[in-house]
Amino acid sequence: MVHWSNRHTLRNWIYIPRKPTPEGQEWHDIACGLSNVIFVIEPAEQVDGLKRHEDIVGKMAATVLRLTETSGLWETSRVLVADSAFTSLELLQELKKRKIHGIFSMKKHRFWNKGIPGEALHDKTCSLQLGESVCIPSNNAKDFFVAGLLDMNPCLLLSNAGSMNPLDDEEAQQTRFARTHDGSLDRRAFCRPEVFASFNIFHISR
């Protein structure tokens, strides 16, 4: 399905209005990255007052805490993989208290996530050669780290799981073509670091 927000341009394109819309239903869910089994589905709905956990964290982080709690993932040392809509240092710290690790993608939504050196990481990643990666640990490296990999586009992660060691696995191997200074194409092969390979495998498994 292609999100096409302009109603009056091309024929044969399905128009999909932007959220929020009065029709339809938005859902949040959490699933196993190995089996693709959905554990919990939570409808996004308005309620009077605060939902569970919204008194300690923001709304999106509270949603993740409710999903992981209801699905029985607390105290299991599982690794939660999520896209940038759920990325939050506050959430990562709350999950750690409940013995859950996280690998979250990072993207600038007007601003970078609070407490995360997103701009510095993005600039460092863009200055790399294709297939190279960089890591910026927190002051206490056991808390979290942010990492960047230059693939076709810069890939940025916030994590407290995995490592930056190249993963010797077929899923982690990539071959890309990069344009050199003289304009010719150069074929380059590289292995993704473990944390990027894990994110790529389990994030797209859905």
Side-chain angles (χ1 to χ4, degrees), residues 4-11 13 15:
W4 194 257
S5 58
N6 194 330
R7 191 190 300 269
H8 306 291
T9 51
L10 299 178
R11 298 174 59 188
W13 284 79
Y15 170 73

Side-chain angles (χ1 to χ4, degrees), residues 19-38:
K19 296 186 293 184
T21 64
E23 301 86 12
Q25 177 66 61
E26 180 183 352
W27 303 85
H28 296 129
D29 65 84
I30 186 170
C32 175
L34 294 174
S35 65
N36 291 338
V37 173
I38 295 178

Side-chain angles (χ1 to χ4, degrees), residues 149-166:
L149 170 70
L150 188 62
D151 199 338
M152 300 301 293
N153 295 298
C155 179
L156 311 180
L157 296 179
L158 165 68
S159 178
N160 62 1
S163 72
M164 292 296 292
N165 296 324

Side-chain angles (χ1 to χ4, degrees), residues 29-205:
D29 65 84
I30 186 170
C32 175
L34 294 174
S35 65
N36 291 338
V37 173
I38 295 178
F39 295 143
V40 178
I41 297 177
E42 179 186 273
E45 56 186 354
Q46 296 291 332
V47 298
D48 295 331
L50 298 175
K51 293 184 180 180
R52 194 164 75 255
H53 303 306
E54 287 185 356
D55 56 331
I56 57 175
V57 293
K59 290 186 177 181
M60 193 58 74
T63 299
V64 176
L65 290 180
R66 289 195 303 273
L67 290 173
T68 53
E69 180 184 23
T70 306
S71 56
L73 297 181
W74 288 9
E75 308 292 329
T76 62
S77 297
R78 295 286 188 94
V79 178
L80 183 69
V81 177
D83 63 23
S84 60
F86 300 93
T87 301
S88 164
L89 181 56
E90 175 187 48
L91 172 60
L92 195 67
Q93 293 170 336
E94 289 297 326
L95 289 173
K96 184 180 179 182
K97 296 177 184 177
R98 295 157 177 81
K99 295 185 179 180
I100 299 179
H101 306 290
I103 303 176
F104 301 146
S105 67
M106 291 173 52
K107 185 178 180 181
K108 187 176 182 179
H109 299 279
R110 293 187 63 189
F111 304 99
W112 289 102
N113 303 94
K114 183 179 179 180
I116 302 173
E119 194 71 42
L121 177 65
H122 182 269
D123 292 344
K124 282 189 176 183
T125 304
C126 290
S127 67
L128 300 174
Q129 296 294 320
L130 183 66
E132 292 182 341
S133 57
V134 63
C135 177
I136 303 178
S138 66
N139 293 331
N140 180 358
K142 294 182 179 180
D143 287 341
F144 71 93
F145 64 90
V146 292
L149 170 70
L150 188 62
D151 199 338
M152 300 301 293
N153 295 298
C155 179
L156 311 180
L157 296 179
L158 165 68
S159 178
N160 62 1
S163 72
M164 292 296 292
N165 296 324
L167 188 63
D168 187 16
D169 185 89
E170 184 178 351
E171 294 283 355
Q173 296 177 3
Q174 297 291 325
T175 301
R176 297 286 188 261
F177 288 90
R179 193 167 296 280
T180 61
H181 296 294
D182 60 3
S184 60
L185 289 177
D186 180 27
R187 184 176 182 272
R188 297 180 183 176
F190 61 92
C191 287
R192 293 173 180 268
E194 180 192 357
V195 64
F196 288 95
S198 298
F199 177 84
N200 189 60
I201 293 169
F202 296 118
H203 185 256
I204 67 174
S205 63

